[in-house]
Amino acid sequence: MDALSADLPLPAPDDLVGLEQLALELALEAGRLIVDERPADLGVSHTKSTATDVVTVMDQRAQDLLRTRLQAARPHDGFLGEEEGGTSTRSEITWVVDPIDGTVNYLYGIPSYAVSVAAVVGDPSQPGAWRPVAGAVVNPVTAQAFHARLGGGAWLRVGDGPDTQLALADPPQLSQALAGTGFGYDARRRAWQTRVLAGVITQVRDVRRIGSAALDICAVAAGTLDCYFERGLNPWDLAAAWLVLTEAGGRFTGLAGGPPDTAMVVGAAPTLHVALEAVVRAAAEAAGDEQDGVGQAAL
Ligand code: IPD
Ligand code: CA
């Protein structure tokens, strides 16, 4: 636990069980919605930060479903979602949800997208002032459901199968590690990210850009990626997956031991985390300012 979030109030163990169950149940239900009710003519409903940062009708419908269910089950809790409509908390809990993480994959029919539902304590709008205490990440196409609660381990359920506990194996050396990463929607950020990527890709086995940060981070917990780094994530992208990875024995931080934040996150088993963080930090320092080095053609 990092110093900033060390003194946050934590729910009692029995309450954590209920929060994890609710997160899993709702992520599964929203997952069924986005698969079963996907319109044949699905298109972009509107865009957000840039012309490629898209929202479909199903992003908003899935978020509305999650908010309605959570309000009914836990009316005093706060709500923060990727799409419109949030409420502040009157309890110790805020729900941080991404109704579809990997919206571009969803739009294109690439089966790597997820619903992410997390219960957090503290203020998720302040880096370092919050932490997840229970959560679930569900890929509704593969029927993989990752879930965790603080102190309760990380678990993977596939379809109606049993829960299998996730525990990180001894990681490879950095030079043998398969790293996941992702890119933002803004051309200047992507130019900066490619400069960082150039400094990292020569130090690792290879890099994957799968398209859902939540699934990437859970993949590290499940051992189908060795490590992960990315700039520009929001709390809803990472809240549930952060807990899945740390409960599986991994480390998930910002740079230089700081809390995960939009500047950068790094996730891996502890020894690999040390090596990857050093390489990512050096590459980020060498990459300079995000606003520099972008040709007009890229804008
Ligand atoms: C995006 C995905 C992607 C990551 C981006 C996120 P969205 O979330 O997680 O993998 O690289 O940084 O914004 O927009 O699909 O919910
Ligand atoms: Ca997302």
Short mmCIF file of all heavy atoms in Angstrom, two decimals, residues 21-84:
data_model
loop_
_atom_site.label_atom_id
_atom_site.label_comp_id
_atom_site.label_asym_id
_atom_site.label_seq_id
_atom_site.Cartn_x
_atom_site.Cartn_y
_atom_site.Cartn_z
N GLN A 21 -18.88 -9.57 -4.67
CA GLN A 21 -19.97 -10.31 -5.33
C GLN A 21 -20.81 -9.38 -6.20
O GLN A 21 -21.19 -9.72 -7.32
CB GLN A 21 -20.86 -10.98 -4.29
CG GLN A 21 -20.25 -12.27 -3.76
CD GLN A 21 -21.02 -12.86 -2.59
OE1 GLN A 21 -21.94 -12.24 -2.07
NE2 GLN A 21 -20.63 -14.05 -2.19
N LEU A 22 -21.09 -8.18 -5.66
CA LEU A 22 -21.90 -7.23 -6.43
C LEU A 22 -21.15 -6.77 -7.68
O LEU A 22 -21.74 -6.69 -8.77
CB LEU A 22 -22.26 -6.04 -5.54
CG LEU A 22 -23.20 -4.99 -6.13
CD1 LEU A 22 -24.53 -5.60 -6.57
CD2 LEU A 22 -23.44 -3.85 -5.12
N ALA A 23 -19.87 -6.47 -7.55
CA ALA A 23 -19.07 -6.05 -8.71
C ALA A 23 -19.10 -7.13 -9.79
O ALA A 23 -19.31 -6.84 -10.98
CB ALA A 23 -17.63 -5.76 -8.28
N LEU A 24 -18.92 -8.38 -9.38
CA LEU A 24 -18.89 -9.48 -10.35
C LEU A 24 -20.25 -9.67 -11.01
O LEU A 24 -20.35 -9.77 -12.25
CB LEU A 24 -18.44 -10.76 -9.63
CG LEU A 24 -18.41 -12.03 -10.48
CD1 LEU A 24 -17.48 -11.88 -11.68
CD2 LEU A 24 -17.98 -13.23 -9.63
N GLU A 25 -21.28 -9.69 -10.19
CA GLU A 25 -22.65 -9.89 -10.72
C GLU A 25 -23.00 -8.80 -11.75
O GLU A 25 -23.53 -9.08 -12.83
CB GLU A 25 -23.58 -9.77 -9.50
CG GLU A 25 -24.99 -10.15 -9.62
CD GLU A 25 -25.67 -9.86 -8.26
OE1 GLU A 25 -25.27 -10.45 -7.23
OE2 GLU A 25 -26.54 -8.99 -8.25
N LEU A 26 -22.68 -7.54 -11.42
CA LEU A 26 -23.06 -6.44 -12.32
C LEU A 26 -22.17 -6.40 -13.57
O LEU A 26 -22.67 -6.08 -14.66
CB LEU A 26 -22.99 -5.11 -11.57
CG LEU A 26 -24.01 -4.99 -10.43
CD1 LEU A 26 -23.97 -3.60 -9.82
CD2 LEU A 26 -25.43 -5.30 -10.90
N ALA A 27 -20.90 -6.73 -13.42
CA ALA A 27 -20.03 -6.76 -14.61
C ALA A 27 -20.49 -7.86 -15.57
O ALA A 27 -20.49 -7.68 -16.79
CB ALA A 27 -18.57 -6.96 -14.21
N LEU A 28 -20.93 -9.00 -15.00
CA LEU A 28 -21.45 -10.08 -15.86
C LEU A 28 -22.74 -9.64 -16.54
O LEU A 28 -22.94 -9.88 -17.74
CB LEU A 28 -21.70 -11.34 -15.01
CG LEU A 28 -20.44 -12.08 -14.55
CD1 LEU A 28 -20.78 -13.11 -13.47
CD2 LEU A 28 -19.75 -12.78 -15.73
N GLU A 29 -23.63 -8.97 -15.80
CA GLU A 29 -24.90 -8.55 -16.39
C GLU A 29 -24.68 -7.51 -17.50
O GLU A 29 -25.26 -7.60 -18.58
CB GLU A 29 -25.83 -7.97 -15.31
CG GLU A 29 -27.20 -7.63 -15.88
CD GLU A 29 -28.18 -7.05 -14.87
OE1 GLU A 29 -27.84 -6.92 -13.67
OE2 GLU A 29 -29.29 -6.69 -15.31
N ALA A 30 -23.82 -6.54 -17.24
CA ALA A 30 -23.54 -5.52 -18.27
C ALA A 30 -22.83 -6.16 -19.46
O ALA A 30 -23.05 -5.76 -20.61
CB ALA A 30 -22.70 -4.39 -17.68
N GLY A 31 -22.01 -7.16 -19.21
CA GLY A 31 -21.34 -7.88 -20.30
C GLY A 31 -22.35 -8.57 -21.20
O GLY A 31 -22.22 -8.55 -22.43
N ARG A 32 -23.36 -9.19 -20.58
CA ARG A 32 -24.40 -9.85 -21.40
C ARG A 32 -25.14 -8.81 -22.23
O ARG A 32 -25.45 -9.02 -23.40
CB ARG A 32 -25.39 -10.60 -20.49
CG ARG A 32 -24.84 -11.91 -19.94
CD ARG A 32 -25.93 -12.75 -19.29
NE ARG A 32 -26.51 -12.12 -18.11
CZ ARG A 32 -26.03 -12.23 -16.88
NH1 ARG A 32 -24.95 -12.95 -16.64
NH2 ARG A 32 -26.62 -11.62 -15.86
N LEU A 33 -25.41 -7.65 -21.63
CA LEU A 33 -26.14 -6.60 -22.35
C LEU A 33 -25.38 -6.17 -23.61
O LEU A 33 -25.97 -6.08 -24.69
CB LEU A 33 -26.35 -5.39 -21.42
CG LEU A 33 -27.01 -4.20 -22.09
CD1 LEU A 33 -28.53 -4.32 -22.04
CD2 LEU A 33 -26.59 -2.88 -21.46
N ILE A 34 -24.08 -5.91 -23.46
CA ILE A 34 -23.37 -5.35 -24.62
C ILE A 34 -23.20 -6.38 -25.74
O ILE A 34 -23.10 -6.01 -26.90
CB ILE A 34 -22.01 -4.69 -24.24
CG1 ILE A 34 -21.04 -5.68 -23.60
CG2 ILE A 34 -22.24 -3.48 -23.35
CD1 ILE A 34 -19.67 -5.09 -23.30
N VAL A 35 -23.21 -7.67 -25.40
CA VAL A 35 -23.14 -8.70 -26.44
C VAL A 35 -24.52 -8.98 -27.02
O VAL A 35 -24.72 -8.96 -28.24
CB VAL A 35 -22.51 -9.99 -25.87
CG1 VAL A 35 -22.68 -11.16 -26.84
CG2 VAL A 35 -21.03 -9.78 -25.57
N ASP A 36 -25.50 -9.20 -26.15
CA ASP A 36 -26.83 -9.63 -26.62
C ASP A 36 -27.59 -8.52 -27.32
O ASP A 36 -28.41 -8.79 -28.20
CB ASP A 36 -27.67 -10.13 -25.43
CG ASP A 36 -27.10 -11.41 -24.83
OD1 ASP A 36 -26.19 -11.99 -25.43
OD2 ASP A 36 -27.56 -11.80 -23.73
N GLU A 37 -27.38 -7.28 -26.91
CA GLU A 37 -28.20 -6.20 -27.47
C GLU A 37 -27.41 -5.26 -28.37
O GLU A 37 -27.84 -4.15 -28.66
CB GLU A 37 -28.90 -5.45 -26.32
CG GLU A 37 -29.79 -6.42 -25.55
CD GLU A 37 -30.83 -5.74 -24.70
OE1 GLU A 37 -31.21 -4.59 -24.99
OE2 GLU A 37 -31.26 -6.39 -23.73
N ARG A 38 -26.25 -5.73 -28.79
CA ARG A 38 -25.46 -4.93 -29.74
C ARG A 38 -26.25 -4.78 -31.04
O ARG A 38 -26.61 -5.78 -31.67
CB ARG A 38 -24.13 -5.65 -30.01
CG ARG A 38 -23.27 -4.96 -31.06
CD ARG A 38 -22.13 -5.87 -31.54
NE ARG A 38 -21.58 -5.33 -32.74
CZ ARG A 38 -20.38 -4.75 -32.83
NH1 ARG A 38 -19.60 -4.71 -31.79
NH2 ARG A 38 -19.96 -4.24 -33.97
N PRO A 39 -26.54 -3.56 -31.48
CA PRO A 39 -27.30 -3.40 -32.71
C PRO A 39 -26.50 -3.86 -33.93
O PRO A 39 -25.28 -3.73 -33.95
CB PRO A 39 -27.54 -1.88 -32.80
CG PRO A 39 -27.12 -1.31 -31.50
CD PRO A 39 -26.19 -2.28 -30.85
N ALA A 40 -27.21 -4.41 -34.91
CA ALA A 40 -26.53 -4.88 -36.12
C ALA A 40 -25.82 -3.72 -36.82
O ALA A 40 -24.78 -3.91 -37.45
CB ALA A 40 -27.53 -5.53 -37.05
N ASP A 41 -26.41 -2.54 -36.70
CA ASP A 41 -25.83 -1.37 -37.39
C ASP A 41 -25.10 -0.46 -36.40
O ASP A 41 -25.14 0.76 -36.53
CB ASP A 41 -26.93 -0.59 -38.09
CG ASP A 41 -27.97 -0.07 -37.08
OD1 ASP A 41 -27.96 -0.55 -35.91
OD2 ASP A 41 -28.76 0.81 -37.45
N LEU A 42 -24.43 -1.07 -35.43
CA LEU A 42 -23.75 -0.27 -34.40
C LEU A 42 -22.81 0.75 -35.05
O LEU A 42 -22.00 0.42 -35.89
CB LEU A 42 -22.91 -1.18 -33.48
CG LEU A 42 -22.16 -0.45 -32.37
CD1 LEU A 42 -23.12 -0.02 -31.27
CD2 LEU A 42 -21.05 -1.34 -31.79
N GLY A 43 -22.94 1.99 -34.62
CA GLY A 43 -22.04 3.03 -35.11
C GLY A 43 -21.61 3.91 -33.96
O GLY A 43 -21.89 3.62 -32.79
N VAL A 44 -20.93 4.99 -34.30
CA VAL A 44 -20.46 5.93 -33.28
C VAL A 44 -21.61 6.85 -32.91
O VAL A 44 -22.24 7.45 -33.78
CB VAL A 44 -19.27 6.74 -33.82
CG1 VAL A 44 -18.86 7.83 -32.84
CG2 VAL A 44 -18.10 5.80 -34.11
N SER A 45 -21.90 6.94 -31.62
CA SER A 45 -22.97 7.83 -31.18
C SER A 45 -22.46 9.26 -31.04
O SER A 45 -23.08 10.22 -31.48
CB SER A 45 -23.56 7.26 -29.89
OG SER A 45 -23.76 8.19 -28.92
N HIS A 46 -21.29 9.42 -30.43
CA HIS A 46 -20.61 10.72 -30.39
C HIS A 46 -19.15 10.51 -30.06
O HIS A 46 -18.74 9.39 -29.75
CB HIS A 46 -21.29 11.69 -29.41
CG HIS A 46 -21.33 11.22 -27.99
ND1 HIS A 46 -22.26 10.34 -27.51
CD2 HIS A 46 -20.53 11.53 -26.94
CE1 HIS A 46 -22.04 10.12 -26.23
NE2 HIS A 46 -21.00 10.82 -25.84
N THR A 47 -18.37 11.58 -30.12
CA THR A 47 -16.95 11.49 -29.79
C THR A 47 -16.67 12.37 -28.58
O THR A 47 -17.45 13.28 -28.27
CB THR A 47 -16.05 11.89 -30.97
OG1 THR A 47 -16.36 13.23 -31.33
CG2 THR A 47 -16.27 10.97 -32.16
N LYS A 48 -15.53 12.09 -27.92
CA LYS A 48 -15.19 12.85 -26.70
C LYS A 48 -13.94 13.70 -26.94
O LYS A 48 -14.00 14.70 -27.61
CB LYS A 48 -15.05 11.88 -25.52
CG LYS A 48 -16.38 11.21 -25.19
CD LYS A 48 -16.30 10.35 -23.95
CE LYS A 48 -15.49 9.10 -24.20
NZ LYS A 48 -15.57 8.13 -23.09
N SER A 49 -12.77 13.24 -26.42
CA SER A 49 -11.59 14.11 -26.44
C SER A 49 -11.06 14.39 -27.85
O SER A 49 -10.53 15.47 -28.12
CB SER A 49 -10.49 13.48 -25.58
OG SER A 49 -10.16 12.18 -26.07
N THR A 50 -11.19 13.42 -28.76
CA THR A 50 -10.75 13.61 -30.14
C THR A 50 -11.73 12.87 -31.04
O THR A 50 -12.60 12.13 -30.56
CB THR A 50 -9.33 13.03 -30.41
OG1 THR A 50 -9.43 11.59 -30.41
CG2 THR A 50 -8.31 13.47 -29.37
N ALA A 51 -11.56 13.02 -32.37
CA ALA A 51 -12.48 12.39 -33.33
C ALA A 51 -12.42 10.86 -33.28
O ALA A 51 -13.32 10.19 -33.79
CB ALA A 51 -12.16 12.88 -34.74
N THR A 52 -11.34 10.30 -32.70
CA THR A 52 -11.24 8.84 -32.62
C THR A 52 -11.58 8.30 -31.23
O THR A 52 -11.50 7.09 -31.00
CB THR A 52 -9.83 8.36 -33.02
OG1 THR A 52 -8.86 9.07 -32.24
CG2 THR A 52 -9.58 8.60 -34.50
N ASP A 53 -11.93 9.18 -30.30
CA ASP A 53 -12.31 8.77 -28.93
C ASP A 53 -13.83 8.61 -28.95
O ASP A 53 -14.57 9.54 -28.68
CB ASP A 53 -11.86 9.85 -27.95
CG ASP A 53 -12.14 9.48 -26.50
OD1 ASP A 53 -12.63 8.38 -26.24
OD2 ASP A 53 -11.85 10.33 -25.63
N VAL A 54 -14.28 7.40 -29.30
CA VAL A 54 -15.68 7.21 -29.67
C VAL A 54 -16.52 6.65 -28.52
O VAL A 54 -16.02 5.98 -27.61
CB VAL A 54 -15.82 6.29 -30.90
CG1 VAL A 54 -15.11 6.91 -32.10
CG2 VAL A 54 -15.28 4.89 -30.60
N VAL A 55 -17.81 6.94 -28.60
CA VAL A 55 -18.80 6.37 -27.68
C VAL A 55 -19.88 5.74 -28.54
O VAL A 55 -20.34 6.36 -29.52
CB VAL A 55 -19.43 7.46 -26.79
CG1 VAL A 55 -20.40 6.84 -25.80
CG2 VAL A 55 -18.36 8.27 -26.06
N THR A 56 -20.29 4.51 -28.22
CA THR A 56 -21.41 3.90 -28.91
C THR A 56 -22.63 3.97 -27.98
O THR A 56 -22.50 4.20 -26.78
CB THR A 56 -21.16 2.42 -29.27
OG1 THR A 56 -21.19 1.65 -28.06
CG2 THR A 56 -19.81 2.23 -29.95
N VAL A 57 -23.78 3.71 -28.56
CA VAL A 57 -25.01 3.70 -27.76
C VAL A 57 -24.89 2.66 -26.63
O VAL A 57 -25.45 2.83 -25.55
CB VAL A 57 -26.23 3.45 -28.67
CG1 VAL A 57 -26.18 2.07 -29.30
CG2 VAL A 57 -27.53 3.64 -27.93
N MET A 58 -24.13 1.60 -26.87
CA MET A 58 -24.04 0.55 -25.86
C MET A 58 -23.13 0.93 -24.69
O MET A 58 -23.30 0.42 -23.59
CB MET A 58 -23.56 -0.76 -26.50
CG MET A 58 -24.54 -1.33 -27.54
SD MET A 58 -26.24 -1.45 -26.93
CE MET A 58 -26.08 -2.75 -25.72
N ASP A 59 -22.14 1.83 -24.91
CA ASP A 59 -21.35 2.33 -23.78
C ASP A 59 -22.30 3.01 -22.78
O ASP A 59 -22.25 2.76 -21.57
CB ASP A 59 -20.31 3.35 -24.24
CG ASP A 59 -19.20 2.75 -25.09
OD1 ASP A 59 -19.42 2.55 -26.30
OD2 ASP A 59 -18.12 2.48 -24.56
N GLN A 60 -23.16 3.89 -23.32
CA GLN A 60 -24.05 4.62 -22.41
C GLN A 60 -25.10 3.70 -21.80
O GLN A 60 -25.42 3.80 -20.62
CB GLN A 60 -24.72 5.78 -23.16
CG GLN A 60 -25.41 6.79 -22.24
CD GLN A 60 -24.44 7.54 -21.32
OE1 GLN A 60 -23.47 8.13 -21.77
NE2 GLN A 60 -24.70 7.49 -20.00
N ARG A 61 -25.62 2.76 -22.60
CA ARG A 61 -26.65 1.85 -22.04
C ARG A 61 -26.06 0.97 -20.93
O ARG A 61 -26.70 0.73 -19.90
CB ARG A 61 -27.23 0.96 -23.14
CG ARG A 61 -28.31 1.67 -23.96
CD ARG A 61 -29.02 0.70 -24.87
NE ARG A 61 -29.71 -0.37 -24.14
CZ ARG A 61 -30.21 -1.46 -24.70
NH1 ARG A 61 -30.11 -1.63 -25.99
NH2 ARG A 61 -30.83 -2.37 -23.97
N ALA A 62 -24.85 0.48 -21.15
CA ALA A 62 -24.22 -0.38 -20.12
C ALA A 62 -23.93 0.44 -18.86
O ALA A 62 -24.14 -0.04 -17.74
CB ALA A 62 -22.94 -1.00 -20.67
N GLN A 63 -23.46 1.67 -19.05
CA GLN A 63 -23.20 2.48 -17.85
C GLN A 63 -24.52 2.79 -17.13
O GLN A 63 -24.58 2.76 -15.89
CB GLN A 63 -22.49 3.79 -18.21
CG GLN A 63 -22.34 4.67 -16.97
CD GLN A 63 -21.26 5.70 -17.08
OE1 GLN A 63 -20.14 5.39 -17.49
NE2 GLN A 63 -21.58 6.93 -16.71
N ASP A 64 -25.58 3.10 -17.87
CA ASP A 64 -26.87 3.39 -17.22
C ASP A 64 -27.36 2.18 -16.42
O ASP A 64 -27.90 2.32 -15.32
CB ASP A 64 -27.91 3.80 -18.27
CG ASP A 64 -27.61 5.16 -18.89
OD1 ASP A 64 -26.76 5.89 -18.33
OD2 ASP A 64 -28.20 5.48 -19.95
N LEU A 65 -27.19 0.99 -16.99
CA LEU A 65 -27.57 -0.23 -16.28
C LEU A 65 -26.78 -0.36 -14.97
O LEU A 65 -27.36 -0.62 -13.91
CB LEU A 65 -27.31 -1.45 -17.16
CG LEU A 65 -27.51 -2.79 -16.46
CD1 LEU A 65 -28.96 -3.25 -16.54
CD2 LEU A 65 -26.62 -3.87 -17.02
N LEU A 66 -25.48 -0.16 -15.05
CA LEU A 66 -24.65 -0.29 -13.85
C LEU A 66 -25.05 0.74 -12.80
O LEU A 66 -25.18 0.42 -11.61
CB LEU A 66 -23.16 -0.14 -14.22
CG LEU A 66 -22.58 -1.26 -15.09
CD1 LEU A 66 -21.22 -0.87 -15.65
CD2 LEU A 66 -22.48 -2.56 -14.29
N ARG A 67 -25.27 1.98 -13.24
CA ARG A 67 -25.62 3.04 -12.28
C ARG A 67 -26.98 2.74 -11.63
O ARG A 67 -27.15 2.88 -10.42
CB ARG A 67 -25.63 4.41 -12.94
CG ARG A 67 -25.61 5.53 -11.90
CD ARG A 67 -25.66 6.92 -12.51
NE ARG A 67 -26.73 7.02 -13.47
CZ ARG A 67 -26.58 7.42 -14.72
NH1 ARG A 67 -25.40 7.78 -15.17
NH2 ARG A 67 -27.61 7.47 -15.53
N THR A 68 -27.94 2.32 -12.41
CA THR A 68 -29.27 2.02 -11.87
C THR A 68 -29.20 0.88 -10.86
O THR A 68 -29.78 0.96 -9.76
CB THR A 68 -30.23 1.62 -13.03
OG1 THR A 68 -30.25 2.68 -13.96
CG2 THR A 68 -31.64 1.36 -12.53
N ARG A 69 -28.49 -0.19 -11.21
CA ARG A 69 -28.37 -1.34 -10.30
C ARG A 69 -27.64 -0.94 -9.02
O ARG A 69 -28.03 -1.35 -7.92
CB ARG A 69 -27.60 -2.47 -10.98
CG ARG A 69 -28.30 -3.10 -12.14
CD ARG A 69 -29.35 -4.10 -11.66
NE ARG A 69 -29.83 -4.88 -12.78
CZ ARG A 69 -30.86 -4.55 -13.56
NH1 ARG A 69 -31.56 -3.45 -13.31
NH2 ARG A 69 -31.22 -5.33 -14.57
N LEU A 70 -26.60 -0.16 -9.15
CA LEU A 70 -25.82 0.22 -7.96
C LEU A 70 -26.63 1.16 -7.06
O LEU A 70 -26.59 1.06 -5.83
CB LEU A 70 -24.49 0.87 -8.37
CG LEU A 70 -23.47 -0.14 -8.90
CD1 LEU A 70 -22.33 0.57 -9.63
CD2 LEU A 70 -22.92 -1.00 -7.75
N GLN A 71 -27.37 2.07 -7.69
CA GLN A 71 -28.20 2.99 -6.88
C GLN A 71 -29.24 2.21 -6.08
O GLN A 71 -29.53 2.54 -4.93
CB GLN A 71 -28.89 4.02 -7.77
CG GLN A 71 -28.09 5.31 -7.84
CD GLN A 71 -28.58 6.26 -8.92
OE1 GLN A 71 -29.56 5.98 -9.62
NE2 GLN A 71 -27.89 7.37 -9.08
N ALA A 72 -29.80 1.18 -6.70
CA ALA A 72 -30.81 0.38 -6.01
C ALA A 72 -30.18 -0.43 -4.88
O ALA A 72 -30.73 -0.52 -3.77
CB ALA A 72 -31.51 -0.56 -7.00
N ALA A 73 -29.02 -1.01 -5.13
CA ALA A 73 -28.39 -1.91 -4.14
C ALA A 73 -27.70 -1.13 -3.03
O ALA A 73 -27.69 -1.56 -1.87
CB ALA A 73 -27.38 -2.82 -4.84
N ARG A 74 -27.10 0.02 -3.37
CA ARG A 74 -26.28 0.75 -2.40
C ARG A 74 -26.47 2.25 -2.63
O ARG A 74 -25.60 2.95 -3.17
CB ARG A 74 -24.81 0.34 -2.56
CG ARG A 74 -24.60 -1.17 -2.25
CD ARG A 74 -23.13 -1.52 -2.31
NE ARG A 74 -22.35 -0.70 -1.42
CZ ARG A 74 -21.97 -1.05 -0.19
NH1 ARG A 74 -22.28 -2.23 0.30
NH2 ARG A 74 -21.27 -0.21 0.54
N PRO A 75 -27.64 2.77 -2.21
CA PRO A 75 -28.01 4.15 -2.57
C PRO A 75 -27.09 5.24 -2.01
O PRO A 75 -27.10 6.36 -2.54
CB PRO A 75 -29.43 4.28 -1.99
CG PRO A 75 -29.61 3.14 -1.06
CD PRO A 75 -28.70 2.05 -1.50
N HIS A 76 -26.30 4.93 -1.00
CA HIS A 76 -25.45 5.98 -0.41
C HIS A 76 -24.07 6.05 -1.05
O HIS A 76 -23.31 6.98 -0.78
CB HIS A 76 -25.30 5.77 1.10
CG HIS A 76 -26.62 5.82 1.81
ND1 HIS A 76 -27.38 6.97 1.86
CD2 HIS A 76 -27.32 4.88 2.48
CE1 HIS A 76 -28.50 6.73 2.53
NE2 HIS A 76 -28.50 5.46 2.91
N ASP A 77 -23.74 5.06 -1.88
CA ASP A 77 -22.41 5.05 -2.48
C ASP A 77 -22.33 6.04 -3.64
O ASP A 77 -23.33 6.36 -4.29
CB ASP A 77 -22.08 3.65 -3.01
CG ASP A 77 -21.95 2.61 -1.90
OD1 ASP A 77 -21.95 3.00 -0.72
OD2 ASP A 77 -21.85 1.41 -2.24
N GLY A 78 -21.13 6.52 -3.91
CA GLY A 78 -20.91 7.39 -5.06
C GLY A 78 -20.73 6.59 -6.34
O GLY A 78 -20.60 5.35 -6.30
N PHE A 79 -20.70 7.29 -7.46
CA PHE A 79 -20.58 6.63 -8.76
C PHE A 79 -19.73 7.49 -9.69
O PHE A 79 -19.97 8.69 -9.82
CB PHE A 79 -21.98 6.43 -9.37
CG PHE A 79 -21.98 5.70 -10.68
CD1 PHE A 79 -22.04 4.32 -10.73
CD2 PHE A 79 -21.91 6.41 -11.88
CE1 PHE A 79 -22.02 3.65 -11.94
CE2 PHE A 79 -21.91 5.75 -13.10
CZ PHE A 79 -21.96 4.36 -13.13
N LEU A 80 -18.74 6.88 -10.31
CA LEU A 80 -17.92 7.56 -11.31
C LEU A 80 -17.76 6.60 -12.48
O LEU A 80 -17.22 5.50 -12.32
CB LEU A 80 -16.54 7.89 -10.73
CG LEU A 80 -15.51 8.47 -11.72
CD1 LEU A 80 -15.92 9.85 -12.20
CD2 LEU A 80 -14.12 8.52 -11.08
N GLY A 81 -18.25 7.02 -13.65
CA GLY A 81 -18.12 6.16 -14.83
C GLY A 81 -17.45 6.90 -15.96
O GLY A 81 -17.30 8.13 -15.93
N GLU A 82 -17.01 6.13 -16.99
CA GLU A 82 -16.34 6.77 -18.11
C GLU A 82 -17.30 7.68 -18.88
O GLU A 82 -16.89 8.72 -19.38
CB GLU A 82 -15.76 5.72 -19.07
CG GLU A 82 -15.16 6.37 -20.31
CD GLU A 82 -14.15 5.53 -21.05
OE1 GLU A 82 -14.13 4.31 -20.84
OE2 GLU A 82 -13.39 6.10 -21.84
N GLU A 83 -18.56 7.29 -18.96
CA GLU A 83 -19.51 8.10 -19.73
C GLU A 83 -20.21 9.09 -18.78
O GLU A 83 -19.88 9.18 -17.62
CB GLU A 83 -20.50 7.19 -20.46
CG GLU A 83 -19.85 6.04 -21.22
CD GLU A 83 -18.68 6.44 -22.13
OE1 GLU A 83 -18.61 7.61 -22.54
OE2 GLU A 83 -17.82 5.59 -22.38
N GLU A 84 -21.20 9.80 -19.32
CA GLU A 84 -21.79 10.89 -18.54
C GLU A 84 -22.59 10.41 -17.33
O GLU A 84 -23.21 9.36 -17.38
CB GLU A 84 -22.71 11.71 -19.46
CG GLU A 84 -21.92 12.56 -20.43
CD GLU A 84 -22.77 13.13 -21.53
OE1 GLU A 84 -23.99 13.21 -21.35
OE2 GLU A 84 -22.19 13.47 -22.57
#
